[in-house]
Amino acid sequence: MFSTTDKTYLDQLNDTQRQAVISNDGPCLVVAGPGSGKTRVLTYRIAHLLQSGVKPWEILSLTFTNKAAREMKTRIEKVVGASAQNVWAGTFHSIFAKILRIEADKIGYPSNFTIYDTEDSKSLIRNIIKDMNLNKDHYSVNSVYSRISSAKSNLIPPALYLKDKELMDQDRRQKRPFLGELYKQYMNRCKKAGAMDFDDLLYRFYELLHKNPDGVREKYQRKFQYVLVDEFQDTNHLQYEIVRKLVSYPDSPNNITVVGDDAQSIYAFRGATIQNILDFEQDFKSKGIKIFKLEQNYRSTEHIVQAANDVISYNKKQIKKVIKSEKGSGNRIRVIRSMSDNEEGKRVVDLIQEQKSRLHLHNSDICILYRTNSQSRIFEEYLRRAGISYKVFGGLSFYQRKEIKDMVAYFRLIVNPNDEEALRRVINYPKRAIGNTSVEKISDMAKSMDSSMWDAIPFAPLTGKARRSVDGFVDMINKLRKQLDSVDAYELATKTVHAAGLQDELKKDTSIEGLSRMENASSLLDAIKEFVDSVDDTAEETADVGLTSYIQNIALLTDQDSSVDENNFVTLMSVHSAKGLEFPSVVVVGMEENLFPSFMSSDSAEAIDEERRLFYVAITRAEAHLTLSFASSRYKFGQMRYNEPSRFLNEIGPQHLDMDFNTLSAGQSGGFQRPTSPSVGSSSSAVKGYFKKPSPQAPKVDLSNFTPSPASSIAAGQKVLHPKFGEGKVLSVDGGRDKRVATIFFKAVENPQKRLMLKFAKLQIIS
């Protein structure tokens, strides 16, 4: 039946993989653990169908990315030849768009319908909000877009939305009672324009199958004899319903294969539901479903794999499996505890330098993963200082994000009002009725006067509302400028954000992306607060903590290096962006309660389970070296906050961990104790027991016996005494000669980490 080539490709599979490949008919669930050869099984299964005589155009293979579809066809072609190109393999959106082009007239659309991208959709929503005279603060474009997308993904058309009491009550509570009507108008205007948005490519395809004009449903049920779905755990309700309609009919052979891993279901915020893969067995049980569990991990070493098993075992809703590795035990998982987020950045970069030197890893072998994109800032700064090439994926580099550039532009303008680029960027942001025409009038006047635009503003030919708005903007900037020499950078930055209305502007967007932008803005203010607090307020030197000094400081950080090696860089990305990738060394940072797991998940068992699956994904990206890092304190909203280690650390068996707590006092040893039962909303007392929150009480220092030590003798690792801050530990010393600065952790003060210039600081070495 098979040629030598056929036998060769089957010989590349282990027993379970082979059974999953050759089991052609009927419903099939392939539960594929991380690094278990999922893609190989899926592509070889299609190749095997073709080798068994199935026509390529009778096979429908649905993926989530075009890259995955191309890779699949390429792999199949290596086994069966050019016929692989006739398989219907592609993303849900691309395949359904292709069919809709053929059948669009049956649901009232032209065959040449337009596909609206996200910006097109948002522009239409913006116009409808204006036409309906709705409050733009309550009906922000992004939140309305997300709400409509969610409704379509859950098969709720406008008519049902308007009758749904729960949905309407939610909208009323959020001060947007007309959202249902807005949704109705949006759908009507899309159809009148002969346009579909991305969600419509699924929604209208479902409509086509459901209404079944001219027997369209039976046509495609007969056409696609075999349906395969990759990454099934990432499907939403609508996608699963479409697939079921294609395979569920009288006398159907139910030739459907889904491949996925419930433990890697991490996209609930996009509408994906883990329930699809959990319910699949029950939905097709009566059809003789076959289940194959791919439990052999070919990616990671034993300690990493077992740690992942330990963590995911705490989730109640799951398909039970035990992942195994044959790559040897490998290194234990390194756990780094830092005193602050700033120190975490330094220690992680020190670790990277160590791995490059001692383990001969390349930059491209290393990945830093974080829960939120706003965390990238500190690691970017330390990587730049160390001269290590890096790239931020799944988002822009911190200082290149729009919300950050807007804030920095305001700060630049306050420091230097003649900064034309900064002026142009913010003069009408947030919108204050200063249009392009007004800006160009100011620009033309500046040219005629041979002056800066700022100096030309009083003389520009502006009238009415434009003049009042420009004058109001100038007054605001001038009031802030008067405080440049009297308040520190953090206070002035905070006043600027409020005076300009930046915070209120960002708050309007309640979507996931909007919340992320708010986090980024908050992170920038935290960075400024850290900049201010890093200078000892009792030091005798005239330290500059003003906004001018801060702007000069970040100008060096935001200057993009031209020497970045395009083929050898450290990868920085969120855990969500890392799914499907793998690296020899992975560092997961910010492993703290209310950060990972996120504070938004603390009151829901289901949300904690999703956060745990996200951590599982993070762990299983590592091939040989895994590091977990957390900080005992972190700036949040301008305040130093003390953090408990993430509960997830405590769910890993201590035999897999290598503690790296260089700040532990004598007598503290051992590993994390595995709790007898996990609980939502609390982290392990065993982990918390290691680190007590510093007392906020001021230390008492006996000055009668206090003798400052020579500044030249202060070194990292020493315990020292300060007349105001009490006992502390020197974490690091940098700078040369008269400019040596020590970073010291004082455990008994509210903001424990201080940076003191040693030639002025009075420190007594006590050990």
Side-chain angles (χ1 to χ4, degrees):
M1 180 177 176
F2 297 106
S3 67
T4 304
T5 305
D6 301 331
K7 292 178 181 177
T8 300
Y9 84 79
L10 289 175
D11 288 344
Q12 295 176 30
L13 307 172
N14 64 34
D15 289 343
T16 308
Q17 290 174 331
R18 188 180 299 109
Q19 288 303 314
V21 165
I22 66 176
S23 178
N24 283 359
D25 297 329
C28 178
L29 169 61
V30 180
V31 183
S36 63
K38 168 184 72 69
T39 304
R40 173 175 290 186
V41 167
L42 185 61
T43 54
Y44 283 12
R45 184 175 173 85
I46 295 172
H48 190 75
L49 287 171
L50 294 171
Q51 293 282 33
S52 303
V54 178
K55 301 294 186 293
W57 51 86
E58 294 178 335
I59 300 172
L60 171 64
S61 179
L62 298 168
T63 65
F64 277 85
T65 67
N66 289 312
K67 180 183 175 183
R70 287 193 300 270
E71 181 183 349
M72 187 181 301
K73 283 191 173 183
T74 300
R75 287 195 185 192
I76 299 168
E77 193 168 358
K78 288 180 180 178
V79 179
V80 301
S83 64
Q85 293 303 316
N86 293 319
V87 172
W88 281 60
T91 65
F92 283 87
H93 292 86
S94 65
I95 293 292
F96 297 162
K98 185 176 180 179
I99 296 174
L100 283 167
R101 293 285 184 204
I102 301 169
E103 312 290 354
D105 63 302
K106 296 180 176 64
I107 52 171
Y109 273 87
S111 60
N112 62 340
F113 62 83
T114 301
I115 297 177
Y116 278 173
D117 63 18
T118 303
E119 287 309 309
D120 293 329
S121 298
K122 289 181 178 180
S123 177
L124 176 55
I125 289 170
R126 192 176 292 111
N127 290 334
I128 296 172
I129 290 171
K130 183 179 179 180
D131 293 346
M132 293 179 67
N133 198 27
L134 300 174
N135 187 319
K136 289 186 290 186
D137 291 343
H138 297 155
Y139 293 86
S140 75
V141 172
N142 287 340
S143 59
V144 170
Y145 176 81
S146 296
R147 187 71 162 175
I148 291 174
S149 176
S150 177
K152 283 193 275 191
S153 295
N154 286 285
L155 288 174
I156 304 172
L160 287 181
Y161 189 104
L162 289 164
K163 294 178 182 177
D164 191 303
K165 185 178 184 303
E166 184 178 346
L167 291 175
M168 298 304 289
D169 285 345
Q170 288 176 3
D171 289 342
R172 277 189 284 271
R173 286 194 297 271
Q174 294 175 1
K175 299 181 180 179
R176 49 188 195 190
F178 300 106
L179 201 149
E181 182 60 33
L182 197 162
Y183 176 23
K184 180 180 177 181
Q185 288 204 30
Y186 174 79
M187 294 293 279
N188 287 341
R189 287 176 68 164
C190 279
K191 193 158 190 178
K192 285 179 182 177
M196 298 188 196
D197 63 22
F198 288 142
D199 293 313
D200 282 330
L201 296 176
L202 307 183
Y203 183 82
R204 296 299 186 187
F205 186 65
Y206 177 84
E207 179 186 354
L208 183 68
L209 297 179
H210 181 68
K211 290 185 176 179
N212 194 28
D214 300 332
V216 167
R217 184 170 63 235
E218 287 84 357
K219 173 182 175 181
Y220 289 98
Q221 286 171 341
R222 287 194 303 270
K223 178 178 180 61
F224 299 126
Q225 290 296 300
Y226 292 84
V227 176
L228 302 95
V229 185
D230 191 15
E231 301 287 6
F232 188 64
Q233 77 282 345
D234 294 335
T235 54
N236 60 29
H237 175 66
L238 175 55
Q239 287 164 327
Y240 188 26
E241 287 303 312
I242 290 172
V243 170
R244 290 183 66 173
K245 280 196 175 293
L246 285 173
V247 301
S248 299
Y249 55 91
D251 300 321
S252 168
N254 289 282
N255 292 331
I256 176 172
T257 299
V258 301
V259 182
D261 183 7
D262 59 295
Q264 297 186 66
S265 177
I266 60 172
Y267 294 123
F269 68 93
R270 293 183 188 167
T273 171
I274 190 176
Q275 213 57 45
N276 287 349
I277 193 168
L278 295 178
D279 291 345
F280 187 81
E281 178 182 0
Q282 190 62 40
D283 291 345
F284 287 90
K285 192 172 184 179
S286 62
K287 311 296 182 182
I289 186 172
K290 294 180 284 292
I291 300 174
F292 301 97
K293 297 181 181 180
L294 306 184
E295 298 175 303
Q296 183 64 58
N297 182 294
Y298 294 97
R299 175 188 301 155
S300 308
T301 55
E302 189 69 26
H303 280 304
I304 295 170
V305 168
Q306 290 306 321
N309 285 338
D310 286 351
V311 169
I312 205 63
S313 69
Y314 278 69
N315 276 13
K316 292 181 179 178
K317 290 184 176 181
Q318 62 174 292
I319 299 171
K320 291 292 183 181
K321 58 186 178 297
V322 179
I323 308 301
K324 301 177 289 292
S325 170
E326 289 183 354
K327 293 189 70 174
S329 58
N331 297 300
R332 289 195 295 169
I333 299 164
R334 193 167 178 178
V335 182
I336 295 178
R337 172 216 184 182
S338 301
M339 289 300 182
S340 68
D341 50 350
N342 192 56
E343 185 192 344
E344 181 184 37
K346 183 179 186 304
R347 294 198 67 198
V348 166
V349 173
D350 287 346
L351 170 74
I352 289 172
Q353 290 179 313
E354 175 193 337
Q355 290 187 336
K356 290 175 63 179
S357 174
R358 186 168 61 85
L359 303 176
H360 307 293
L361 294 181
H362 300 291
N363 290 338
S364 56
D365 295 329
I366 302 168
C367 177
I368 299 175
L369 296 179
Y370 33 76
R371 177 62 182 83
T372 63
N373 284 319
S374 62
Q375 291 171 254
S376 75
R377 175 186 60 82
I378 288 174
F379 304 101
E380 289 186 59
E381 291 179 7
Y382 276 99
L383 286 165
R384 276 206 177 100
R385 292 177 191 177
I388 297 175
S389 298
Y390 72 89
K391 277 192 178 181
V392 178
F393 287 81
L396 292 170
S397 177
F398 183 82
Y399 289 102
Q400 294 302 310
R401 292 165 186 159
K402 180 185 181 301
E403 59 276 13
I404 301 304
K405 294 184 81 169
D406 291 337
M407 291 171 70
V408 170
Y410 267 104
F411 303 156
R412 282 168 45 190
L413 192 63
I414 290 167
V415 170
N416 173 22
N418 294 321
D419 185 334
E420 181 175 327
E421 290 306 309
L423 177 65
R424 284 180 177 274
R425 185 175 186 94
V426 301
I427 192 170
N428 197 39
Y429 180 79
K431 288 186 178 180
R432 47 176 65 93
I434 305 173
N436 291 335
T437 301
S438 297
V439 173
E440 289 311 308
K441 286 180 180 179
I442 297 171
S443 178
D444 291 342
M445 181 56 67
K447 291 173 186 174
S448 67
M449 294 172 59
D450 193 23
S451 71
S452 69
M453 285 181 65
W454 180 263
D455 289 338
I457 285 176
F459 307 101
L462 304 177
T463 57
K465 189 174 183 180
R467 170 51 67 185
R468 291 192 298 274
S469 297
V470 169
D471 288 347
F473 174 76
V474 170
D475 288 344
M476 175 187 68
I477 297 298
N478 282 333
K479 285 177 183 177
L480 293 166
R481 278 180 52 73
K482 288 178 182 178
Q483 303 176 64
L484 262 174
D485 298 324
S486 58
V487 301
D488 64 43
Y490 177 70
E491 185 176 345
L492 186 51
T494 304
K495 287 181 176 180
T496 301
V497 167
H498 287 293
L502 295 177
Q503 192 173 43
D504 292 338
E505 182 70 15
L506 290 172
K507 279 182 177 178
K508 292 177 184 177
D509 185 357
T510 58
S511 66
I512 295 293
E513 295 78 8
L515 294 174
S516 178
R517 283 188 279 272
M518 277 291 294
E519 285 181 350
N520 293 335
S522 174
S523 181
L524 179 62
L525 291 177
D526 290 340
I528 300 173
K529 178 65 171 173
E530 186 175 0
F531 166 79
V532 171
D533 287 352
S534 67
V535 179
D536 178 16
D537 58 4
T538 66
E540 297 173 16
E541 81 277 17
T542 56
D544 186 357
V545 294
L547 191 62
T548 301
S549 179
Y550 177 75
I551 286 297
Q552 291 172 352
N553 184 58
I554 66 163
L556 300 175
L557 292 173
T558 57
D559 182 26
Q560 296 294 315
D561 295 336
S562 58
S563 59
V564 172
D565 185 341
E566 291 299 317
N567 298 313
N568 188 27
F569 48 80
V570 173
T571 297
L572 281 74
M573 59 172 55
S574 70
V575 184
H576 280 105
S577 299
K579 189 162 173 287
L581 302 177
E582 55 191 57
F583 299 87
S585 175
V586 170
V587 186
V588 188
V589 299
M591 290 302 305
E592 300 136 38
E593 285 295 301
N594 296 321
L595 185 52
F596 201 177
S598 165
F599 72 94
M600 292 188 291
S601 65
S602 59
D603 59 350
S604 164
E606 289 77 12
I608 286 292
D609 280 359
E610 174 128 346
E611 291 287 302
R612 188 174 284 109
R613 292 193 294 270
L614 190 60
F615 182 45
Y616 178 87
V617 167
I619 292 174
T620 54
R621 298 312 93 197
E623 296 174 357
H625 307 282
L626 175 62
T627 304
L628 306 175
S629 171
F630 66 97
S632 296
S633 61
R634 186 177 294 273
Y635 276 94
K636 192 73 174 174
F637 305 117
Q639 298 292 321
M640 181 68 82
R641 303 289 177 89
Y642 299 97
N643 314 308
E644 298 175 357
S646 169
R647 72 192 71 191
F648 299 152
L649 292 174
N650 205 53
E651 296 170 358
I652 300 174
Q655 70 273 23
H656 304 304
L657 301 177
D658 176 15
M659 304 298 183
D660 187 14
F661 297 162
N662 67 344
T663 53
L664 284 180
S665 60
Q668 289 180 313
S669 61
F672 293 103
Q673 299 297 312
R674 186 180 176 88
T676 54
S677 61
S679 60
V680 174
S682 65
S683 64
S684 164
S685 59
V687 180
K688 289 188 289 184
Y690 272 114
F691 319 111
K692 300 231 175 145
K693 181 176 175 178
S695 167
Q697 298 178 352
K700 294 180 180 179
V701 178
D702 183 0
L703 297 179
S704 62
N705 297 320
F706 183 83
T707 305
S709 302
S712 60
S713 63
I714 304 297
Q718 293 174 338
K719 286 187 178 179
V720 294
L721 198 64
H722 186 278
K724 178 180 178 181
F725 303 131
E727 185 178 318
K729 180 166 182 175
V730 181
L731 302 178
S732 64
V733 178
D734 51 75
R737 296 186 179 181
D738 290 343
K739 295 183 178 179
R740 295 176 78 229
V741 177
T743 302
I744 306 174
F745 187 87
F746 295 100
K747 62 182 179 181
V749 295
E750 185 175 355
N751 295 320
Q753 187 161 305
K754 305 286 184 183
R755 280 179 59 80
L756 308 182
M757 186 165 281
L758 290 178
K759 71 176 181 179
F760 297 116
K762 296 179 176 64
L763 298 170
Q764 178 182 343
I765 299 171
I766 57 178
S767 70

